[in-house]
Amino acid sequence: MGTPENLPAQPVGVERDAAAAPVEMDVAVALLGAGVTVVTHPLLYVKLLIQVGHEPLPPAEGTTMFGRRVLYLPGFFSYARHIVSVDGKGGLFRGLSPRIVSSAISTIVRSKVKHAILQEQVELVPSRGDSKSSLRKVVRETSHEMIIQCLSRIAIHPFHDQQSKKKATQEPFSLAEQQKRPEHPNSFSTIPFDGVTVMSVRCMAQFVGREVKYRGLFSCIIRIFKEEGVAGFYVGVVPHMLGEILFLWCCNLLAHFINSYAVDEDFSQASAVRSYTKFVMGIAVSVSTYPFLLVADLMSVNNCGLAAGLPPHSPIFTSWLHCWNHLSQKGFLFRGSSFFFRRVPASSMCTAED
């Protein structure tokens, strides 16, 4: 049985353990994110080269499921083999260091901002039948998450990180959800195969013209600052943030309405269906917001001195809206959205015939 002198020491130890737990969790998430970043980098590298329109390999003739003959551009594996043949296996990891840095910064920023907001948040858990209160709760939490998204994007845009987009739809935000929600596969963030920005995109885009202008992390920072100033680190940030905000609101609101009105309470698997609704909505909504990410990536490399961002590979864009209109007219707004079964665009075939 403890003495009175020993009683106050127990809460202090508990508080220290509670304070250390978030730090340990942040370190674990940062390490996991760095590992996944390394594994997925070749995918993003190939995707970036496809986005900027670099097609070094000729298309191959194939047939659709209906027997129609079409021309298919090389898929991921063919493209990756070409990169290896030119730069070796290490070439698949060009531009990796900025992405690792951005992953760590994203984890720290999101953790600090979310912790500050949760401390001030007064959780109002509505009853199951109070749909208006439930909607207000979703709007409030989505607004808080939008703040986190914007601050995280500003912090990491110079380096690159696109993983924060789906963290927004896969992490429980509210204090009540974090305490009560059971673990399920989409309760932690994953790394989507989306766009990249500024330092990473310029390092990787050098493959097109075989330049060596951007070598490592520090050389990228020095060169961009000297040539473009601070603004150079935030080229393309507007379409990127707009795409992430649109993705966040559409995904959360659609998931709320589906869970509230489309999933029957009498259905035996209702809770399981609800747990995956936001994940499925994230995949669906990401298709419609992809053009924003494509425009952001193209603006990051446009007119920066690399062949990938200069004529004849690319026009000089005066703004991201100019870039959007150009892609829309050419039918390229979804260029790079697929790794396999990439058909030759009709506009490209017409140009070749002319």
Side-chain angles (χ1 to χ4, degrees):
M1 187 171 181
T3 62
E5 290 81 0
N6 294 333
L7 292 178
Q10 185 175 359
V12 174
V14 173
E15 290 178 1
R16 289 178 180 175
D17 292 341
V23 177
E24 294 176 355
M25 180 61 69
D26 290 344
V27 173
V29 172
L31 292 176
L32 177 62
V36 178
T37 297
V38 173
V39 173
T40 60
H41 187 77
L43 290 167
L44 286 170
Y45 186 15
V46 171
K47 193 179 192 68
L48 185 277
L49 294 178
I50 295 174
Q51 285 180 327
V52 299
H54 184 56
E55 298 291 350
L57 301 176
E61 186 176 341
T63 57
T64 64
M65 60 182 300
F66 300 104
R68 180 185 176 186
R69 291 186 177 182
V70 294
L71 291 178
Y72 286 108
L73 293 168
F76 166 75
F77 296 107
S78 298
Y79 215 129
R81 283 195 296 268
H82 172 72
I83 295 175
V84 172
S85 67
V86 175
D87 288 339
K89 293 181 180 179
L92 288 173
F93 298 94
R94 184 196 296 259
L96 175 61
S97 57
R99 291 196 59 225
I100 294 178
V101 173
S102 73
S103 177
I105 293 176
S106 174
T107 300
I108 295 172
V109 172
R110 291 180 62 84
S111 175
K112 298 299 182 184
V113 177
K114 180 175 289 190
H115 180 68
I117 292 177
L118 286 176
Q119 283 184 329
E120 299 178 0
Q121 181 181 8
V122 178
E123 192 65 32
L124 300 175
V125 181
S127 60
R128 179 170 295 183
D130 193 352
S131 59
K132 292 184 178 180
S133 298
S134 178
L135 179 59
R136 283 195 296 267
K137 179 171 176 284
V138 171
V139 171
R140 183 178 67 252
E141 293 175 1
T142 305
S143 300
H144 291 160
E145 184 59 38
M146 182 178 65
I147 296 173
I148 297 176
Q149 284 288 101
C150 293
L151 293 177
S152 177
R153 172 52 51 192
I154 292 173
I156 66 178
H157 188 80
F159 303 95
H160 149 259
D161 188 27
Q162 189 46 49
Q163 53 199 354
S164 60
K165 174 181 171 181
K166 287 201 174 179
K167 285 179 183 179
T169 62
Q170 294 173 343
E171 291 179 351
F173 177 78
S174 67
L175 184 60
E177 287 180 355
Q178 289 180 334
Q179 293 173 343
K180 297 179 180 180
R181 182 181 294 187
E183 285 277 330
H184 54 76
N186 63 318
S187 62
F188 54 90
S189 62
T190 58
I191 309 271
F193 307 138
D194 287 315
V196 292
T197 50
V198 191
M199 294 187 196
S200 283
V201 82
R202 293 185 181 184
C203 287
M204 291 185 279
Q206 291 181 131
F207 182 84
V208 178
R210 310 304 301 162
E211 299 98 342
V212 290
K213 184 177 180 180
Y214 301 97
R215 292 180 178 271
L217 178 63
F218 295 105
S219 66
C220 287
I221 295 174
I222 294 172
R223 182 173 288 276
I224 293 175
F225 183 76
K226 283 184 177 180
E227 295 181 355
E228 305 172 54
V230 177
F233 294 104
Y234 293 95
V235 177
V237 69
V238 173
H240 224 144
M241 290 182 66
L242 288 176
E244 289 179 349
I245 292 172
L246 182 62
F247 174 91
L248 178 66
W249 281 97
C250 290
C251 186
N252 287 0
L253 290 177
L254 284 173
H256 167 73
F257 288 125
I258 291 175
N259 287 338
S260 300
Y261 302 106
V263 180
D264 192 350
E265 290 291 343
D266 297 332
F267 181 50
S268 60
Q269 301 296 326
S271 60
V273 171
R274 287 194 178 96
S275 66
Y276 287 96
T277 301
K278 190 176 289 186
F279 177 76
V280 175
M281 287 298 99
I283 297 175
V285 175
S286 64
V287 175
S288 60
T289 58
Y290 177 81
F292 288 95
L293 307 179
L294 173 61
V295 170
D297 295 340
L298 294 183
M299 291 303 296
S300 297
V301 73
N302 190 251
N303 198 24
C304 69
L306 299 180
L310 294 171
H313 288 92
S314 170
I316 304 287
F317 300 119
T318 57
S319 67
W320 71 271
L321 291 175
H322 180 198
C323 179
W324 183 292
N325 291 333
H326 172 77
L327 294 174
S328 179
Q329 291 172 3
K330 295 290 185 179
F332 291 156
L333 275 178
F334 292 92
R335 184 171 63 190
S337 60
S338 175
F339 285 115
F340 305 101
F341 304 107
R342 300 187 302 120
R343 295 188 186 183
V344 175
S347 58
S348 299
M349 296 178 64
C350 293
T351 303
E353 291 176 359
D354 294 339

